[in-house]
Amino acid sequence: MKRIFTILMLIVSIHSFAADTYRNPIINADVPDISLCHAHGYYYMVSTTMHLMPGCPVMRSKDMIHWETVSYVFDSINDGPRYDLIDGQTAYGQGQWASTIRFHNNKFYVWFTANGAPGKGFIFSADNAEGPWKLIARPRHHHDASLFFDDDGRIYLFHGSGSCTLTELKSDLSDVKPDGINQRIIFNDPDERGALLEGSQVFKHKGRYYVCMISMIWGVPGRVRREVCYRSDNITGPYEKHIILETPFEEYGGVGQGCLVNSNDLDDNDESDWWAMIFQDRGGIGRVPCVMPVTWVDGWPMCGELKPGYYEKISPKSYRIPNDTLKAHEDWSKIVGNDEFDGQKLSLLWQWNHNPINTAWSLSARKGWMRLTTARVADNIFLAPNTMTQRMTAPSCSGEIKLDIKGMNNGDRAGLAGFNGDSGLLTVCKDNGKLTLVLTEEHLQLDNDKRVTGVDKKVIASVPLKSGQRYVWMKVSGDFLHQHDMCRFAYSLDGKTWSDIGNEIHTPFDYRRVFMGTKFAIFNYATLSTGGHVDVDYFHVN
C-alpha cells in the first residue's frame, strides 16, 4: 500500500512539473530579431520575415509560451520590381528587418527598415495589435533601429552596427528632427573590438535607460555570442556595460539578440515579473526564440537562472511559466499548422515568397481547395510568383499535400519543396502532354544586388506518371536534429500507399542569400505559357 501511494505521488509530482514548466526553444522555428511589448494583458511580438508577404507578423501570447499569429503589419512592399520578382530582381535576405513594436498613448507602433534600395524605414500604427495597421511615415534608413518614446514626449531611434547612435525624430514620426539629438552614444570597448554589435532594443527602468544588443565575434576560440546591456542615467550617456547573457546552450553556441519585457504595464519600477525573449542560430531551421527569466542584480537585468552568489548566466531548458497559465500539452499550431483551405480568407499561417499576384490564386474557384494559376513565365522556383510558404519546425517535421494536376498546361511545374537558398523540390512536370514526377536539388545564385544569376539544378530521381493521373499526394520531411539540415521526400498516387523518392537533400542556413530558416513551399509556375492551374486540397503538418 505504501509503495502504491509513493508511485501515485510520483505521478502527481511529474504531472505538476510538466504543467508548470516549458522547454526552450519556445518556438523551434524561424522567429528572428524579436521585439516585444506588453499591453491589455497580452505580450505582443514582432519578428523579421524579410521578403515574405504579408510581412512583419504580429504574434500574441498570455504567458510568453503559447503564441498565435494575429495579424501582419503590411500586405506587401511596393518599393520596385525586386519585390515582384521581375526581370531576375529579388529581395531575398532584404525587405523588412529588425522591427520594433511599442504601445504608447493607447496606440501600437511598429518601426522597421527595408534593407536594400531604396532603403527607407516604415512606421505603422494601429489601435489594436490585431489590426488593421496604417502606414504613417517613411523616414530615412536606420540600421536595426529601436523606437523609443521617452517620458517627456520626445521620440528617438537607437540604431547602428558596431556601435549605437541616438537619433531624435519629429513628433509626427515623419523623419529625423533637424535640430534634435543625433549622436553616437555607445562605442566598441576593447572587449567588443571587432564585434557585430547591433540589434538594439531599448527600455527605461527606474529612470535609467537600458540598451540591449547582441555582441558576436567570429573566429575567437571560446567566445560565444552574448547579450550585452548598456545603461545610463541620461539618454545621451555616458553608458556603462554589463554582459547579461553569455553561455553555450546545448550544442548550438550562445544566445543573443532579442528583447526584455515587464508584464506590469502600470509600473516601470516593478522587478517581479520580467522576461527575456532572445534567439539562437540553429542552422537550417533558422533562428529560434528562447524565453528566460530576468533577475535584477545591482540594477542589471540578468537573463537565465542565476546560481546563488554568482553572475553566471544559464539558458534554461525549463523554468516556471510566466503568469502560470500553461495548459498541459498545448501545442503552437497557431504559428505553424494544418489548412483545409475551406475558409474565405487565406490563413495567417501562410506567407507568399515576395509580393503575390492576387488575381492568380483563389479559395473560391473551387470550394475547399486552394487554386494556384500561373500568371507569369519563370524558369525556376526562385523567380516564380505565388509560392506559398510556412515555417518548418525542429527537430523534425513533415508536411503533406494533395494536388489536383488536371488543369496543368505544357511547361508547367507544380509541387512541394523544402525551400531555402539550397532547396529540394518534388515537382510534377508536364511536357508535350506527358507527366513526370521529378525530385531535384536546386541551388540559388545571386549577385550583390540580389539579382538571380543562375540556378544549379540536379535531378535526383524521376517517375513517369500515367496520362490519366489526376491526383498526386506529396510529402516533405525535415530533419534538423544536431544541424543535420536535410529534407527527404515521398509520394503517393492513391493517397494510401507511399513511396520514398531519391535521397536526402541538404537545406542549410545561408545569411548571404535567402537568410531564413527552411520553409515548406507549395508552388506552381509556368515555363512556356500562363493560364494553367493546380488545386491544393489540404496541407497537413506533423
Side-chain angles (χ1 to χ4, degrees), residues 86-107:
I86 299 292
D87 296 331
Q89 299 179 76
T90 79
Y92 286 118
Q94 297 183 336
Q96 173 254 342
W97 264 40
S99 302
T100 302
I101 186 168
R102 295 287 180 259
F103 184 66
H104 176 70
N105 286 345
N106 293 316
K107 276 187 175 291

Side-chain angles (χ1 to χ4, degrees), residues 81-82 84-92 376 380 382-383 444-447 449-454:
R82 67 198 188 94
D84 300 311
L85 299 174
I86 299 292
D87 296 331
Q89 299 179 76
T90 79
Y92 286 118
R376 186 188 306 143
N380 61 76
F382 301 103
L383 290 173
L444 172 64
Q445 298 176 8
L446 298 172
D447 64 17
D449 295 322
K450 300 293 184 177
R451 186 183 295 270
V452 176
T453 58

Side-chain angles (χ1 to χ4, degrees), residues 1 35 115 124 151 170 197 220 224 444 503 510:
M1 188 70 177
S35 179
N115 276 356
F124 286 83
D151 301 331
K170 295 178 179 179
L197 195 65
V220 178
V224 298
L444 172 64
N503 51 260
D510 185 350

Side-chain angles (χ1 to χ4, degrees), residues 120-184:
K120 296 188 71 175
F122 290 77
I123 298 180
F124 286 83
S125 70
D127 293 329
N128 299 292
E130 295 75 13
W133 290 86
K134 180 182 178 181
L135 178 65
I136 61 173
R138 291 294 310 272
R140 65 193 73 176
H141 172 94
H142 295 88
H143 181 77
D144 278 15
S146 183
L147 181 64
F148 179 73
F149 296 89
D150 208 350
D151 301 331
D152 60 5
R154 299 169 77 175
I155 309 169
Y156 301 92
L157 293 175
F158 290 73
H159 60 94
S161 181
S163 62
C164 185
T165 298
L166 176 69
T167 299
E168 189 170 359
L169 299 180
K170 295 178 179 179
S171 60
D172 63 0
L173 301 169
S174 62
D175 206 343
V176 173
K177 187 176 180 180
D179 56 349
I181 296 171
N182 188 17
Q183 67 184 71
R184 189 171 297 183

Side-chain angles (χ1 to χ4, degrees), residues 128-299:
N128 299 292
E130 295 75 13
W133 290 86
K134 180 182 178 181
L135 178 65
I136 61 173
R138 291 294 310 272
R140 65 193 73 176
H141 172 94
H142 295 88
H143 181 77
D144 278 15
S146 183
L147 181 64
F148 179 73
F149 296 89
D150 208 350
D151 301 331
D152 60 5
R154 299 169 77 175
I155 309 169
Y156 301 92
L157 293 175
F158 290 73
H159 60 94
S161 181
S163 62
C164 185
T165 298
L166 176 69
T167 299
E168 189 170 359
L169 299 180
K170 295 178 179 179
S171 60
D172 63 0
L173 301 169
S174 62
D175 206 343
V176 173
K177 187 176 180 180
D179 56 349
I181 296 171
N182 188 17
Q183 67 184 71
R184 189 171 297 183
I185 56 172
I186 295 171
F187 299 82
N188 264 330
D189 59 37
D191 189 41
E192 305 296 341
R193 191 72 63 197
L196 179 69
L197 195 65
E198 61 181 18
S200 301
Q201 289 292 331
V202 180
F203 62 91
K204 196 171 183 179
H205 175 59
K206 292 187 175 180
R208 278 176 168 165
Y209 300 88
Y210 290 84
V211 184
C212 296
M213 306 174 78
I214 179 179
S215 173
M216 184 165 58
I217 301 177
W218 288 273
V220 178
R223 175 73 179 265
V224 298
R225 66 190 303 163
R226 57 170 58 154
E227 188 75 2
V228 295
C229 182
Y230 296 83
R231 74 180 184 190
S232 176
D233 294 327
N234 299 296
I235 196 167
T236 56
Y239 282 82
E240 55 181 330
K241 185 191 85 172
H242 197 79
I243 301 168
I244 61 173
L245 181 65
E246 183 184 29
T247 184
F249 177 41
E250 299 184 338
E251 72 222 56
Y252 302 96
V255 182
Q257 191 170 338
C259 196
L260 279 64
V261 65
N262 177 13
S263 67
N264 193 335
D265 302 337
L266 302 178
D267 185 4
D268 286 336
N269 296 322
D270 178 66
E271 294 184 349
S272 62
D273 202 13
W274 281 75
W275 295 88
M277 180 82 89
I278 302 177
F279 75 74
Q280 182 181 48
D281 283 86
R282 290 204 171 198
I285 197 60
R287 297 173 286 173
V288 302
C290 298
V291 168
M292 281 159 283
V294 172
T295 303
W296 286 90
V297 181
D298 298 335

Side-chain angles (χ1 to χ4, degrees), residues 18-93:
D20 292 335
T21 60
Y22 64 85
R23 180 74 167 84
N24 272 322
I26 203 61
I27 301 174
N28 209 342
D30 196 34
V31 185
D33 301 340
I34 302 151
S35 179
L36 297 167
C37 71
H38 191 271
H40 306 317
Y42 284 98
Y43 298 95
Y44 290 96
M45 173 171 63
V46 292
S47 173
T48 293
T49 51
M50 300 184 192
H51 49 276
L52 300 178
M53 307 292 170
C56 194
V58 180
M59 290 165 270
R60 181 181 69 186
S61 174
K62 276 283 190 181
D63 57 15
M64 286 278 283
I65 309 304
H66 302 101
W67 293 88
E68 62 176 327
T69 303
V70 295
S71 69
Y72 289 92
V73 173
F74 59 90
D75 291 327
S76 61
I77 294 178
N78 300 304
D79 278 358
R82 67 198 188 94
Y83 286 101
D84 300 311
L85 299 174
I86 299 292
D87 296 331
Q89 299 179 76
T90 79
Y92 286 118

Side-chain angles (χ1 to χ4, degrees), residues 183-492:
Q183 67 184 71
R184 189 171 297 183
I185 56 172
I186 295 171
F187 299 82
N188 264 330
D189 59 37
D191 189 41
E192 305 296 341
R193 191 72 63 197
L196 179 69
L197 195 65
E198 61 181 18
S200 301
Q201 289 292 331
V202 180
F203 62 91
K204 196 171 183 179
H205 175 59
K206 292 187 175 180
R208 278 176 168 165
Y209 300 88
Y210 290 84
V211 184
C212 296
M213 306 174 78
I214 179 179
S215 173
M216 184 165 58
I217 301 177
W218 288 273
V220 178
R223 175 73 179 265
V224 298
R225 66 190 303 163
R226 57 170 58 154
E227 188 75 2
V228 295
C229 182
Y230 296 83
R231 74 180 184 190
S232 176
D233 294 327
N234 299 296
I235 196 167
T236 56
Y239 282 82
E240 55 181 330
K241 185 191 85 172
H242 197 79
I243 301 168
I244 61 173
L245 181 65
E246 183 184 29
T247 184
F249 177 41
E250 299 184 338
E251 72 222 56
Y252 302 96
V255 182
Q257 191 170 338
C259 196
L260 279 64
V261 65
N262 177 13
S263 67
N264 193 335
D265 302 337
L266 302 178
D267 185 4
D268 286 336
N269 296 322
D270 178 66
E271 294 184 349
S272 62
D273 202 13
W274 281 75
W275 295 88
M277 180 82 89
I278 302 177
F279 75 74
Q280 182 181 48
D281 283 86
R282 290 204 171 198
I285 197 60
R287 297 173 286 173
V288 302
C290 298
V291 168
M292 281 159 283
V294 172
T295 303
W296 286 90
V297 181
D298 298 335
W300 293 104
M302 308 302 292
C303 300
E305 295 177 283
L306 300 185
K307 290 185 177 181
Y310 295 91
Y311 272 44
E312 185 172 353
K313 286 77 63 182
I314 300 172
S315 301
K317 293 182 180 180
S318 61
Y319 200 83
R320 179 182 70 84
I321 285 290
N323 303 332
D324 296 322
T325 58
L326 175 62
K327 296 178 182 178
H329 309 300
E330 186 174 349
D331 63 14
W332 36 277
S333 59
K334 295 180 180 180
I335 300 293
V336 177
N338 299 336
D339 198 344
E340 304 298 329
F341 299 115
D342 53 3
Q344 295 182 347
K345 295 181 178 181
L346 186 62
S347 166
L348 294 176
L349 298 172
W350 296 102
Q351 289 179 284
W352 302 100
N353 179 28
H354 290 66
N355 290 339
I357 300 175
N358 286 317
T359 57
W361 65 272
S362 174
L363 288 168
S364 60
R366 183 179 179 183
K367 189 175 181 180
W369 298 68
M370 163 61 82
R371 175 160 294 180
L372 298 174
T373 303
T374 62
R376 186 188 306 143
V377 172
D379 65 1
N380 61 76
I381 191 175
F382 301 103
L383 290 173
N386 287 22
T387 296
M388 305 172 61
T389 76
Q390 277 201 47
R391 299 173 181 88
M392 282 191 165
T393 64
S396 62
C397 62
S398 66
E400 176 189 326
I401 63 171
K402 177 184 177 182
L403 197 63
D404 185 340
I405 58 177
K406 182 180 179 180
M408 292 180 70
N409 286 345
N410 282 323
D412 286 0
R413 306 286 185 260
L416 181 65
F419 185 62
N420 214 323
D422 300 305
S423 299
L425 281 69
L426 186 56
T427 308
V428 175
C429 302
K430 186 171 184 179
D431 295 298
N432 299 317
K434 296 181 179 180
L435 296 169
T436 310
L437 186 63
V438 181
L439 177 66
T440 56
E441 180 179 330
E442 306 197 5
H443 305 277
L444 172 64
Q445 298 176 8
L446 298 172
D447 64 17
N448 292 333
D449 295 322
K450 300 293 184 177
R451 186 183 295 270
V452 176
T453 58
V455 177
D456 293 332
K457 298 182 182 181
K458 179 182 178 182
V459 175
I460 304 298
S462 63
V463 177
L465 301 179
K466 295 179 180 179
S467 59
Q469 187 73 38
R470 178 168 182 177
Y471 298 108
V472 179
W473 290 257
M474 299 179 173
K475 185 182 296 183
V476 56
S477 301
D479 179 1
F480 302 97
L481 186 64
H482 308 309
Q483 299 189 65
H484 189 59
D485 299 343
M486 292 287 188
C487 289
R488 61 186 185 277
F489 295 81
Y491 70 95
S492 175

